Amino acid sequence: MTNRTVLISGAGIAGPALAFWLSRQGYAVTVVERSPELRPGGQAVDFKGATHLAVLERMGILDEIRRHRTGGLDQTIVDAEGRPLAVLPGEFTGGDVEIRRGDLARILYDRTSSDCEYVFGDSITSLTETPDGVDVTFEREAPRRFDLVFGADGIHSTVRRLAFGPEADYVEHLGHYYALVETDETDGGPAVMYNEPGRMAATGGPKATAFFVFASPEIGYDRDDTGRQKEILTAAFDGGGWRLPELMELVKRSDDVYLDSIARVAMDGYSTGRVALLGDAAYGNTLGGFGTGLAIVAAYVIAGELAAANGDHELAFRRYDEKFRGYAKIARNANAGPFLAPPTKLRIKLRDQMFRRPFLLRGMLWVTDKFATDITLDEYPALARRG
């Protein structure tokens, strides 16, 4: 087998999933992660349809995920007085199985940490491809050479920027921002959601202590500057009804605020030379509902194609590009912003009415299941054995 050493950037979901499959084939895998440690908690993610579940079953983690599942709770849409208007069913928001992102990351880390090298608190600064490998420099670690490099480092991927070009060439702002905020409320209570034109706030349930979406042109800010993120969020919800003034006070006191654009990645191919992308770095669509499933399936396909090609990365990456281009197309078409934060009172009302009509809901669930299973999942016998 050629190409024995592998560097993966990103220890979220896609990176450790790929590390799982490659390490069991005998690759020497290093995972570098910008954060100083695994990120706990976070928003809930879900898996939909037979394809997602089949990959989790082949990884041997489906039962463990089910033990940590959040339950896919119903979420009640309320008016400014707190009166219920409609219900988002758990089967719509939570797929077949739902789990907090941090719990899933921990499961994948625990399955790979003994066989793979994890480097936390560091990031790639340059990639230089040679005929024999990729020379990599880091912010803190000494330079190293790897046979293959994978970018699993999210929608703001460093690997994509270094290997393919500037973020602006591939990432499109979709007119909205979202924020996840851990507050000092000891009891999040039942899952509720409130809308005003162009903005949404949700509290309770497993998604996060507080979750916000608001319409906005693109804003320039430092994603590491928590204070600035608080300013942007509180300004966006200034003058709102319901519990919004109270929630903004909680935001100001919070030490855990994450604000980012709702955006999508559009790429014609996911590899160049010895470098390949997977997960949100390649076909991310914020809050689109398919990101985690796409990442898990992509890790399986990449590892399987490398095994089938006996490590020939050119052949394996070409097959990965061909197989995933169609499967990832759903990420190009969706925009969760206008659905979560409709721009007018009429659009809010029409959205709510949809959840009061069972036949419309069944149609939406059928469509999401169709997209989630729209790929032929090969067996890849080499992945069924260790070493």
Side-chain angles (χ1 to χ4, degrees):
M1 183 181 69
T2 58
N3 297 323
R4 304 281 305 187
T5 59
V6 169
L7 174 66
I8 300 172
S9 176
I13 306 302
L18 181 60
F20 171 87
W21 291 114
L22 292 181
S23 64
R24 68 159 42 189
Q25 292 184 65
Y27 287 88
V29 179
T30 298
V31 182
V32 61
E33 167 56 44
R34 182 170 176 266
S35 298
E37 58 187 0
L38 286 180
R39 298 172 181 173
Q43 192 178 20
V45 297
D46 61 82
F47 298 98
K48 305 177 179 72
T51 299
H52 295 178
L53 299 184
V55 174
L56 297 175
E57 182 67 39
R58 293 175 192 183
M59 295 179 76
I61 62 174
L62 180 56
D63 288 343
E64 190 170 1
I65 287 174
R66 284 173 170 156
R67 287 195 293 272
H68 288 83
R69 68 191 306 169
T70 59
L73 301 176
D74 292 348
Q75 186 173 44
T76 303
I77 303 172
V78 300
D79 65 13
E81 305 303 321
R83 295 171 298 205
L85 299 173
V87 174
L88 277 72
E91 60 181 326
F92 177 78
T93 60
D96 290 307
V97 60
E98 183 183 72
I99 182 173
R100 293 197 78 171
R101 178 177 290 276
D103 291 339
L104 177 59
R106 171 58 64 178
I107 290 171
L108 292 170
Y109 174 78
D110 288 345
R111 294 296 181 104
T112 55
S113 59
S114 61
D115 298 319
C116 303
E117 175 190 14
Y118 277 82
V119 180
F120 288 96
D122 207 349
S123 182
I124 298 171
T125 55
S126 72
L127 300 170
T128 304
E129 185 165 342
T130 71
D132 301 321
V134 184
D135 293 329
V136 183
T137 61
F138 302 89
E139 289 182 357
R140 294 179 175 83
E141 290 284 309
R144 295 169 64 177
R145 172 173 287 188
F146 297 89
D147 293 322
L148 301 174
V149 174
F150 294 93
D153 44 354
I155 204 163
H156 303 294
S157 171
T158 296
V159 172
R160 187 188 59 232
R161 175 175 55 81
L162 293 173
F164 291 83
E167 179 172 308
D169 291 349
Y170 301 101
V171 179
E172 177 188 2
H173 174 63
L174 297 180
H176 292 77
Y177 282 81
Y178 76 101
L180 301 171
V181 182
E182 295 292 341
T183 72
D184 54 10
E185 286 187 330
T186 57
D187 181 8
V192 295
M193 175 174 143
Y194 171 72
N195 278 107
E196 293 176 354
R199 51 190 183 182
M200 181 276 284
T203 63
K207 290 293 185 184
T209 302
F211 174 44
F212 305 93
V213 175
F214 62 93
S216 171
E218 195 163 7
I219 305 169
Y221 66 97
D222 183 350
R223 291 194 303 277
D224 293 325
D225 187 342
T226 300
R228 177 59 180 145
Q229 293 181 53
K230 291 181 182 182
E231 291 175 359
I232 293 170
L233 182 58
T234 53
F237 284 84
D238 184 50
W242 188 57
R243 293 184 60 207
L244 291 181
E246 172 192 354
L247 291 173
M248 290 305 105
E249 289 301 316
L250 294 176
V251 168
K252 293 175 183 178
R253 296 200 300 267
S254 176
D255 295 325
D256 191 349
V257 176
Y258 180 81
L259 175 76
D260 205 352
S261 168
I262 294 182
R264 65 174 158 231
V265 178
M267 303 189 73
D268 294 327
Y270 313 121
S271 63
T272 177
R274 294 175 175 270
V275 179
L277 306 175
L278 70 156
D280 284 351
Y283 22 76
N285 189 317
T286 316
L287 307 179
F290 290 90
T292 308
L294 284 171
I296 290 288
V297 176
Y300 175 79
V301 170
I302 291 171
E305 292 299 338
L306 279 170
N310 197 32
D312 181 343
H313 67 279
E314 293 182 351
L315 176 58
F317 289 173
R318 184 167 65 249
R319 288 175 174 170
Y320 162 57
D321 281 349
E322 292 169 353
K323 290 191 172 186
F324 241 73
R325 192 173 296 113
Y327 187 48
K329 66 181 180 294
I330 180 58
R332 290 200 176 199
N333 300 324
N335 183 355
F339 175 81
L340 293 170
T344 66
K345 290 182 178 180
L346 176 60
R347 291 282 295 274
I348 294 171
K349 184 177 180 180
L350 291 174
R351 193 264 331 258
D352 294 350
Q353 287 179 350
M354 180 179 62
F355 289 104
R356 295 196 289 267
R357 288 170 168 77
F359 73 94
L360 289 176
L361 178 61
R362 287 194 299 270
M364 293 179 65
L365 292 172
W366 179 85
V367 169
T368 58
D369 187 72
K370 182 177 183 295
F371 282 123
T373 57
D374 190 21
I375 189 173
T376 299
L377 200 62
D378 294 334
E379 291 292 337
Y380 300 123
L383 301 190
R385 62 179 186 271
R386 292 193 173 275

